[in-house]
Amino acid sequence: MELVPAPRIPPFELFYREHRDAVLGLLRRRLGAAAAEDAFQETFLRALAAYGRLRHAEHLRSWVLTIASNVAIDTLRRMRPTTEPPDLPYEDARPAYEELGELTNGLPPKERAAVVLRYGYDLTYDQIATALDSSPVAARQAASAGVRRLRGKKER
Amino acid sequence: MTVSTDLDRRFREAAVRAGLLDAGFDVVDSPVGPLLVAATDLGILRISFDADPDRQLDRLAEIAGRRILRAPRAVDPVRRELDEYFERRREVFDLTVDLRGTTPFTVQVLDELARVPYGQTATYGELAARVGRPKAARAIGMIMNHNPIPIVLPCHRIVGANGSLVGYGGGLDRKEQLLRLEGALL
């Protein structure tokens, strides 16, 4: 039997060089170019503060992207009070979100919120991500999963 | 998505300011070639004529801890004193050294080495005698050869009994260059 030695935790310099571009990419998608810079610093300072306590070298990429994601959420929370609520489309008839509210009753909460915000309020996935403390990709996935589930229900 | 030079520099500075580093390092230009310099809160951890950091990071992390980052600001005091030394404006370094990672005997030898004055030389045998091991000239030679902080700990001032330069971890050319700079060789 061959024992595979556990990968060693690299010196921070190497860890930083390997993941900095991916971290900046995630933060730009979530926050835009300007806010991403401060969040970038914050992310790697948090990682540095915790780095001495790391126990193993696996999943370092997801570890640092999780930190980046949390920093993005904190940043958006701080930004939110100053941002205007998105304009909702005005309609004379019964608003789409009310209809959707009933239709989507029974979907898992995240999918329901994503479907209603996307098709009822016509928000972009970026706006939905902001509203749900999630990423645009996750918001898009939740919305399409919700739609697929609704289709499945109808056909049955 | 590439991190800009400016953003990269700002993070490295912030890391030093936050006091989160076990060690910071940078490559410092000098008349004897580029030097890798690493420093911790305790003092200078390493000066190396092999200026490629990637060959040394693992060893430095073993000694000081893995939170080690290239950070020019962290070695600024060392850079300043080295510059002054090479411009002949400084004969004594006012910097502390971090000798974790060496044995107690090595610390004792390097401590004695640091007392050999600027512009003068001593022999391997003399240094051995000064640490109470008169027959250990060969062991002293090994310690000089592996000196973690050359220039500041002046192993270039240690020569053979007949006055020949014998050897130097950074190559004999550098040893000669340093001794000439100090006026120890004509």
Side-chain angles (χ1 to χ4, degrees):
Chain A
M1 199 176 76
E2 214 176 314
L3 283 176
V4 181
R8 294 192 15 184
I9 299 170
F12 191 83
E13 171 73 24
L14 301 181
F15 161 81
Y16 167 71
R17 270 193 249 155
E18 187 173 339
H19 302 297
R20 61 185 165 187
D21 291 349
V23 164
L24 186 62
L26 179 145
L27 292 170
R28 284 209 181 158
R29 287 193 298 279
R30 299 274 290 270
L31 301 170
E37 299 223 335
D38 282 345
F40 176 86
Q41 277 203 25
E42 177 68 24
T43 297
F44 276 107
L45 287 176
R46 283 191 200 180
L48 185 56
Y51 204 67
R53 295 192 304 271
L54 270 187
R55 301 302 284 278
H56 57 78
E58 287 155 39
H59 314 304
L60 287 180
R61 166 78 51 130
S62 18
W63 178 67
V64 74
L65 289 180
T66 304
I67 297 176
S69 196
N70 290 336
V71 170
I73 288 167
D74 293 349
T75 306
L76 290 169
R77 262 193 205 125
R78 281 198 300 270
M79 286 159 66
R80 194 169 301 154
T82 59
T83 49
E84 294 288 312
D87 289 331
L88 300 179
Y90 177 77
E91 284 190 350
D92 280 334
R94 191 175 177 219
Y97 59 83
E98 272 184 26
E99 278 175 325
L100 269 173
E102 285 163 23
L103 186 66
T104 57
N105 200 357
L107 284 185
K110 239 187 217 153
E111 292 177 13
R112 186 181 187 198
V115 169
V116 172
L117 291 173
R118 178 70 194 94
Y119 301 102
Y121 289 86
D122 204 29
L123 298 194
T124 67
Y125 287 117
D126 277 322
Q127 290 167 321
I128 297 170
T130 305
L132 300 180
D133 267 344
S134 170
S135 70
V137 171
R140 185 186 295 270
Q141 276 166 355
S144 28
V147 169
R148 267 200 309 277
R149 211 186 290 273
L150 289 175
R151 282 207 188 109
K153 243 190 224 165
K154 253 175 94 183
E155 279 159 21
R156 235 179 288 128
Chain B
M1 194 71 58
T2 309
V3 174
S4 70
T5 315
D6 182 56
L7 179 58
D8 181 70
R9 181 184 53 75
R10 280 188 285 137
F11 165 64
R12 292 173 188 275
E13 282 183 4
V16 175
R17 268 200 312 276
L20 290 172
L21 294 181
D22 293 323
F25 68 91
D26 198 18
V27 175
V28 171
D29 283 324
S30 88
V32 292
L35 303 168
L36 177 80
V37 177
T40 70
D41 287 344
L42 298 176
I44 312 172
L45 179 68
R46 177 75 88 244
I47 292 178
S48 172
F49 295 109
D50 176 1
D52 179 359
D54 290 5
R55 277 200 287 269
Q56 325 230 12
L57 281 181
D58 282 329
R59 175 70 186 131
L60 296 179
E62 257 172 46
I63 299 169
R66 62 172 88 107
R67 295 181 303 171
I68 177 165
L69 187 71
R70 184 166 189 157
R73 195 168 283 240
V75 305
D76 273 350
V78 189
R79 189 195 325 271
R80 198 176 313 120
E81 294 209 5
L82 283 172
D83 286 348
E84 290 166 0
Y85 170 80
F86 284 113
E87 290 162 12
R88 288 209 178 87
R89 291 189 288 120
R90 172 176 290 280
E91 297 190 355
V92 176
F93 290 97
D94 294 323
L95 301 159
T96 55
V97 291
D98 180 350
L99 290 176
R100 284 177 295 171
T102 58
T103 67
F105 180 60
T106 299
V107 172
Q108 194 193 344
V109 171
L110 294 177
D111 203 43
E112 198 56 48
L113 169 67
R115 293 178 218 273
V116 180
Y118 183 91
Q120 296 181 30
T121 58
T123 67
Y124 293 94
E126 282 166 353
L127 192 56
R130 286 177 202 172
V131 293
R133 300 270 299 273
K135 290 181 182 160
R138 189 170 291 272
I140 299 292
M142 288 299 288
I143 291 171
M144 295 302 103
N145 199 49
H146 294 106
N147 179 4
I149 312 173
I151 304 174
V152 170
L153 297 178
C155 57
H156 56 279
R157 293 177 196 153
I158 305 304
V159 298
N162 60 1
S164 69
L165 296 187
V166 183
Y168 190 59
L172 277 180
D173 286 353
R174 289 197 177 99
K175 187 169 188 172
E176 198 180 322
Q177 208 177 334
L178 292 170
L179 287 172
R180 271 185 210 293
L181 172 95
E182 297 185 6
L185 286 182
L186 294 177

